[in-house]
Amino acid sequence: MTAPVFVTDSARLEGAAAGTLVRLDGPEGRHAAAVKRLEPGEAVTLADGLGLGVDGTVAAVHGKDAIDVTVVAVRREPEPSPRIVVVQALPKGDRGELAVETMTEVGVDVVVPWPASRCITQWKGDRGAKALAKWRATAREAGKQSRRLRFPEVREPMTTRQLAPLLAGAAFAAVLHEDGAAPLAAAALPPAGDLVLIVGPEGGVSPEELAAFAEAGAGPYRLGPSVLRTSTAGVAAGALLLGRTGRWS
């Protein structure tokens, strides 16, 4: 079994080298000491979520508040290329967290919440801030669970109009749509840059949104013969592109 991942700030890891000690305290230290009940000699990985991490072993446990880790190796996870960006329409209930969790596990790099016109759920005021915080916390926890050193970025929500520059600047942009004539599996993909996938709501992408996206350079593509829910389409399409671009090789 691979070592569990705990998150700490970059400053504690920047000067780490084999044989040095790194202190893990705060909420993550308490989780390691009191919940996981780690003991000296057990393997752990510390990561900053930005691509820097250390593999090591527990050197000491300080009550229920902290552990010291002896560094065995320092690892840096490079910036991904090409980068997979998923524009995710807001699902109902907790399906948003499910989408973020599974996309994180497969390796999606950026998630952009999108309040599409046909979304039943709309983020406003405190409710929107809490929902965004949940998405970001989900990405962090799923990044730890899947042993990533670089966690996905969950951006601020963007309207259809605000998405236009993102799509225009992408190396490849696609709207996942059941009526798309071109299969995503056969699309010509660039070797670098942002590959942007737009996942619509359960009610579908409106004709006006499709037109706006097409004008910005994102055409409709289909995944396959079946129609996926909004909470699963992003992970399926992301996995397809990760395989096709060699990120999984």
Side-chain angles (χ1 to χ4, degrees):
M1 180 180 292
T2 55
V5 174
F6 298 92
V7 181
T8 189
D9 56 277
S10 303
R12 297 198 181 195
L13 301 181
E14 285 292 348
T20 61
L21 286 178
V22 176
R23 172 70 58 89
L24 180 69
D25 52 17
E28 289 287 272
R30 287 191 290 274
H31 186 71
V35 179
K36 288 293 189 180
R37 297 184 180 180
L38 296 181
E39 298 180 353
E42 292 194 71
V44 296
T45 295
L46 306 182
D48 66 356
L50 301 173
L52 176 61
V54 301
D55 297 321
T57 57
V58 177
V61 179
H62 300 280
K64 297 182 178 181
D65 297 317
I67 64 171
D68 287 336
V69 176
T70 301
V71 177
V72 175
V74 178
R75 291 190 286 136
R76 292 185 183 271
E77 191 174 292
E79 286 276 359
S81 182
R83 193 167 63 160
I84 310 298
V85 180
V86 176
V87 176
Q88 175 66 58
L90 306 180
K92 296 182 294 183
D94 61 359
R95 287 191 170 273
E97 289 100 276
L98 173 63
V100 172
E101 179 181 50
T102 52
M103 287 191 289
T104 298
E105 289 173 359
V106 300
V108 167
D109 305 298
V110 180
V111 178
V112 182
W114 171 42
S117 63
R118 293 178 176 174
C119 284
I120 295 175
T121 298
Q122 294 291 331
W123 289 358
K124 295 180 180 179
D126 290 343
R127 178 183 179 184
K130 290 179 181 178
L132 179 60
K134 282 185 178 180
W135 280 32
R136 287 174 171 166
T138 298
R140 172 188 168 104
E141 292 306 310
K144 291 166 55 179
Q145 181 65 35
S146 54
R147 310 300 194 257
R148 291 178 62 165
L149 299 184
R150 186 180 298 276
F151 302 161
E153 175 190 1
V154 179
R155 295 184 180 173
E156 294 286 330
M158 300 179 73
T159 65
T160 299
R161 179 176 295 181
Q162 290 170 333
L163 286 171
L166 175 69
L167 301 176
F172 172 80
V175 183
L176 302 182
H177 198 278
E178 60 192 82
D179 294 330
L184 186 63
L189 300 177
D194 284 352
L195 310 184
V196 181
L197 299 167
I198 299 176
V199 179
E202 298 291 353
V205 182
S206 73
E208 294 78 14
E209 290 165 338
L210 282 173
F213 294 149
E215 186 176 352
Y221 288 81
R222 70 177 187 276
L223 267 176
S226 59
V227 177
L228 300 182
R229 300 197 69 164
T230 185
S231 54
T232 53
V235 66
L240 174 63
L241 295 190
L242 285 162
R244 289 196 58 209
T245 58
R247 292 265 306 268
W248 275 5
S249 62

